[in-house]
Structures are given as structure tokens and as C-alpha cells.
Amino acid sequence: GGTTDSDWFKPGHWVGGTLPAPDVNVKISNPTVPNDPVLSTNAFNLGTGSVTVDAGTLTINNGGTLSGGGSSVGEFAAGIATVTGKSSTWNTTALNVGFQDTGTLTIADGGMVSNTARAFIGYQGYPGAFPNDPQAFFGDGTVTVTGTDSTWANSADLDVGYLADGT
């Protein structure tokens, strides 16, 4: 996101002043920037690059499409992702919502999310042994699919509440 608006496609909103290159991992995690990124109308392909939403919000709307490798919402800080509106799409391999912190994914009003690898809603990560390690991080994940033609196309294993809270 940026200081003046939230346009995903403005190079100045990204570290280094350029749009993320294919196969580069993107992290949305800057609570001091007033405008989180919004991907509208156009498509953006990260190739095998991943998307992590921590301490921020990602919005895909108005027919925007984001494609890439694995994605996490709420990995080490609370994150929110919203895919809303007809033809708005997020294509990913693995999908983790609430992966060691609080993650919320909303798919609304004809939006679509698809993943081709395992998905977790609420996951306990750990720096040591688990499941009762006091050093562990506990995820809290929520996915909501609402509205006509809204779709989550999961084509792999789905774990809800994997040693954590998932809804």
C-alpha cells in the first residue's frame, strides 16, 4: 500500500520503488502505511512467489486477479484478505489462514479463491516441539464465503483447527 492511495500497480508503493517481480515473495506488513494494497480490474501474476498478509489488509475487487505460489493470511501478525465482486479472483497453491496468528479471509459477492495444495484454517506453528509447547504460536483462522456466486475452490486437503482455532 501507499501513502496517498492503495493502488497495487503504483511502483512507489513497493520496497525499492518497483512492482514485485515474478517468483518474488510479497509481504503486506506495514501498519504505519495508511493505505493497504487493493488489486482492482487488472491481473497480477507472481509466478511461484508467495503472498503473506501480516499486520495489514489485502483487497482484491472489481475483477482483479492475483495469482502466485503459497499464500498466508495472519502468519506472524494479524492479517485480513478480502476477495469481493464478480470475477475477482485469488489463485494460489497452498493457503494458510490464521497461520500462527489471527487471519481472516472473506470471499464475497461473486469473488473466488482457488488453491491447489493443502489449506489450513487455524494452525499452530512452533519453534520447538508441539502440541503443548509453551513456546508455540497459536493461529486463529476464519474463512467466510458469502453472497451469490462466491466460491472457494479447494482442490487439496483442508485442515480446520490444526492444533488451533479454525472456523
Side-chain angles (χ1 to χ4, degrees), residues 17 45 116 151 161 167:
N45 190 339
T116 57
T151 306
T167 305

Side-chain angles (χ1 to χ4, degrees), residues 69-137:
S71 300
S72 291
V73 180
E75 186 167 313
F76 292 107
I80 298 169
T82 302
V83 181
T84 184
K86 184 178 178 184
S87 300
S88 300
T89 307
W90 188 2
N91 301 308
T92 185
T93 55
L95 177 62
N96 303 301
V97 180
F99 186 76
Q100 304 185 60
D101 209 302
T102 301
T104 303
L105 170 61
T106 302
I107 306 163
D109 302 323
M112 179 179 168
V113 172
S114 69
N115 62 287
T116 57
R118 192 172 191 173
F120 290 93
I121 305 172
Y123 179 85
Q124 174 189 335
Y126 53 92
F130 68 90
N132 295 314
D133 185 339
Q135 299 287 318
F137 302 99

Side-chain angles (χ1 to χ4, degrees), residues 2 5-6 74 109 126 130 149 163:
D5 63 36
S6 57
D109 302 323
Y126 53 92
F130 68 90
D149 296 327
L163 302 174

Side-chain angles (χ1 to χ4, degrees), residues 7-9 38-45 58-67 82-91 108 110-113:
D7 185 352
W8 175 285
F9 292 96
V38 175
L39 198 154
S40 295
T41 311
N42 297 311
F44 196 85
N45 190 339
L58 168 64
T59 302
I60 302 169
N61 66 11
N62 296 326
T65 298
L66 178 60
S67 299
T82 302
V83 181
T84 184
K86 184 178 178 184
S87 300
S88 300
T89 307
W90 188 2
N91 301 308
M112 179 179 168
V113 172

